[in-house]
Amino acid sequence: MKTLVNITTSYFQNYSDTDTPSWRSKGQHTFHIDTDMYNFMYDELRCIDAIKLMLFELSNDHERFEYVSHELVFSTPTKLHEFLFLEKLKKVQSETLINE
């Protein structure tokens, strides 16, 4: 059964030349793979090794990706609407001001 796998990585950029690299963390980057879930269910460690190899091959002298974690996603995420979020944020902010 095909399943989406989210792969979280640390993302680095080189701010120098290739002779004297100066790597700086630039946060996270997420990759996705659609694959058979049984690959991860029965051979997870080799799957992680394969992901790390892919990330190494995607990296170069200017940018680098380092494996952090992965997650099998069995359903489509539910979208939350921004207007509801902003409404709740205003409520929380106003309660915080009252309680201070």
Side-chain angles (χ1 to χ4, degrees):
M1 179 172 141
K2 290 279 187 183
T3 302
L4 176 67
V5 180
N6 287 336
I7 301 162
T8 302
T9 68
S10 293
Y11 176 64
F12 299 87
Q13 287 182 337
N14 182 5
Y15 279 78
S16 185
D17 57 44
T18 56
D19 294 328
T20 54
S22 175
W23 294 101
R24 296 188 188 163
S25 176
K26 299 303 266 180
Q28 293 184 336
H29 185 82
T30 304
F31 291 92
H32 306 284
I33 299 173
D34 286 314
T35 190
D36 192 320
M37 72 176 197
Y38 295 108
N39 291 328
F40 282 86
M41 300 290 281
Y42 297 110
D43 205 4
E44 184 175 32
L45 294 178
R46 286 193 181 101
C47 288
I48 292 170
D49 287 343
I51 290 168
K52 289 178 178 179
L53 181 57
M54 290 173 62
L55 296 174
F56 176 78
E57 291 176 356
L58 286 169
S59 298
N60 56 48
D61 292 337
H62 307 288
E63 63 181 2
R64 183 176 79 216
F65 304 97
E66 292 181 2
Y67 173 84
V68 173
S69 66
H70 68 275
E71 175 186 22
L72 277 66
V73 181
F74 295 102
S75 63
T76 305
T78 303
K79 181 175 174 114
L80 297 174
H81 298 284
E82 183 184 19
F83 74 91
L84 289 174
F85 168 73
L86 293 175
E87 179 182 287
K88 303 307 178 202
L89 178 60
K90 286 180 185 176
K91 180 178 180 183
V92 170
Q93 288 172 334
S94 67
E95 290 173 358
T96 302
L97 291 174
I98 291 171
N99 293 330
E100 289 181 353

